[in-house]
Amino acid sequence: QVQLVESGGGLVQAGGSLRLSCAASGRTFSSYAMGWFRQAPGKERDFVAAITWSGSNTYYADSVKGRFTISRDNAKNTVFLQMNSLKPEDTAVYYCAAVAAGLARLEYEYAYWGQGTQVTVSS
């Protein structure tokens, strides 16, 4: 079992930055690949970014490539999502998730989920 808790969401103006954190507890964090997803009001949950257990490989949705950076600190059992040049269309609830495998971008591949943190980008 892995427990995930996101933090760092909030209200920011377009063009601004936020850094989301996801703290993990339970089984060995470093053995899990991690991902970030987001869900806007009235829409399905979409993939944002993923990182391997070692942090050596990452993968991004086209919509955030070049603006968002996923990273992890296995010593602190934490994964981060640095979000720069934010746009109003980035407004969503952001979720972190864990998978006991390599990079994954499909929701059903992830076994553990956090409760989400709200990000609101004003124009």
Side-chain angles (χ1 to χ4, degrees):
Q1 192 80 9
V2 176
Q3 293 80 40
L4 303 171
V5 178
E6 302 95 335
S7 61
L11 174 64
V12 64
Q13 289 189 331
S17 298
L18 280 175
R19 189 193 196 201
L20 304 184
S21 298
C22 174
S25 60
R27 291 189 175 180
T28 306
F29 172 74
S30 61
S31 64
Y32 287 83
M34 300 295 294
W36 285 95
F37 289 74
R38 66 185 181 186
Q39 187 169 23
K43 296 188 177 181
E44 294 183 348
R45 189 153 56 182
D46 292 330
F47 170 78
V48 175
I51 188 167
T52 51
W53 67 270
S54 66
S56 60
N57 289 297
T58 57
Y59 183 63
Y60 297 91
D62 288 343
S63 58
V64 306
K65 203 172 294 184
R67 300 188 297 123
F68 290 11
T69 302
I70 188 171
S71 62
R72 66 189 296 162
D73 185 339
N74 286 341
K76 296 182 178 179
N77 286 0
T78 304
V79 63
F80 305 97
L81 186 67
Q82 177 67 44
M83 305 186 296
N84 299 328
S85 303
L86 282 161
K87 305 175 181 179
E89 51 264 43
D90 294 319
T91 295
V93 177
Y94 283 72
Y95 299 88
C96 71
V99 56
L103 284 177
R105 59 178 294 272
L106 300 177
E107 190 174 344
Y108 74 84
E109 296 180 278
Y110 287 82
Y112 304 104
W113 292 83
Q115 83 291 346
T117 185
Q118 176 70 48
V119 171
T120 303
V121 184
S122 63
S123 57

